[in-house]
Amino acid sequence: MDDWPGYDLNLFTYPQHYYGDLDYVLIPHGIVVDRIERLAKDIMKDIGYCDIMVLCVLKGGYKFCADLVEHLKNISRNSDRFVSMKVDFIRLKSYRNDQSMGEMQIIGGDDLSTLAGKNVLIVEDVVGTGRTMKALLGSIEKYKPNMIKVASLLVKRTPRSDGFRPDYAGFEIPNLFVVGYALDYNEYFRDLNHICVINEHGKEKYRV
């Protein structure tokens, strides 16, 4: 909920170099891991009958993607049908400090034309307004994939949302700037396991 006070930082261990830079723990690492395991189960139930092309949105999505793919592979290994999974990586640039710049660039990845006829699972860290993801979907749809599904670890409740909802969402959170579990603030905090809310001191300290 929007008024959720979170967990006291003193209940957890986290890197000493971030002492004083965080307000509270929003989602502890253990809960994140358990939720991803459940998402993998839901995804395999829906699309586990076909080979999957996973498109990981860097940089914030890499940890979520690695853990999700590991769970998907475990389910596949223990089922009576092997599901082939290939992973490719793209970068979308839209943030500077804690502000979305509105414009989106797609960087890297193989030639997207290879997605034609494939079953694509886009793995993203956070869906905020939804504009970035809609723009990415528009770019990918041009290449005529067989299917596109979106999995996002977090969905922010924001008044600026255009109503886009991923097919698979880990957690819905208030409109806060969060860090940790590979989510960064100007490249800092990626080494933090828990998903936390950064405070004003932390924003100022690592501002560019």
Side-chain angles (χ1 to χ4, degrees), residues 4-75:
W4 163 241
Y7 296 93
D8 192 309
L9 288 158
N10 293 324
L11 295 172
F12 302 94
T13 56
Y14 64 101
Q16 198 168 335
H17 47 269
Y18 296 136
Y19 285 13
D21 301 332
L22 302 165
D23 262 346
Y24 54 88
V25 175
L26 185 69
I27 310 171
H29 180 246
I31 295 176
V32 173
V33 171
D34 283 0
R35 180 71 184 122
I36 292 171
E37 189 174 359
R38 176 54 198 253
L39 285 178
K41 193 175 174 184
D42 291 344
I43 290 167
M44 288 299 273
K45 187 178 166 191
D46 289 350
I47 61 173
Y49 55 85
C50 57
D51 294 346
I52 302 169
M53 180 71 208
V54 178
L55 202 57
C56 174
V57 180
L58 296 173
K59 293 180 181 177
Y62 79 83
K63 197 157 173 47
F64 173 42
C65 184
D67 288 350
L68 182 66
V69 167
E70 188 58 36
H71 284 304
L72 290 169
K73 284 182 174 175
N74 282 340
I75 295 169

Side-chain angles (χ1 to χ4, degrees), residues 63-156:
K63 197 157 173 47
F64 173 42
C65 184
D67 288 350
L68 182 66
V69 167
E70 188 58 36
H71 284 304
L72 290 169
K73 284 182 174 175
N74 282 340
I75 295 169
S76 172
R77 268 195 293 267
N78 295 316
S79 75
D80 53 6
R81 188 191 184 286
F82 173 71
V83 176
S84 166
M85 258 168 281
K86 291 181 180 166
V87 183
D88 197 9
F89 301 90
I90 55 169
R91 282 189 67 185
L92 308 178
K93 198 76 179 148
S94 66
Y95 271 90
R96 180 162 184 180
N97 291 322
D98 57 347
Q99 298 300 311
S100 175
M101 296 184 293
E103 305 241 331
M104 187 199 71
Q105 297 170 280
I106 300 178
I107 306 162
D110 285 345
D111 179 5
L112 292 179
S113 65
T114 59
L115 299 177
K118 299 275 178 36
N119 302 301
V120 180
L121 177 67
I122 299 172
V123 179
E124 169 70 295
D125 53 358
V126 183
V127 169
T129 63
R131 283 195 290 271
T132 304
M133 186 50 68
K134 273 193 168 172
L136 175 60
L137 286 170
S139 299
I140 291 173
E141 278 162 0
K142 291 177 196 162
Y143 298 102
K144 305 270 192 298
N146 180 50
M147 172 177 67
I148 310 176
K149 298 282 188 182
V150 178
S152 182
L153 179 62
L154 304 175
V155 177
K156 282 189 188 180

Side-chain angles (χ1 to χ4, degrees), residues 165-186:
R165 299 287 299 183
D167 302 283
Y168 308 98
F171 302 91
E172 185 176 292
I173 64 168
N175 190 25
L176 300 164
F177 196 86
V178 292
V179 293
Y181 195 74
L183 303 168
D184 76 303
Y185 176 76
N186 295 328

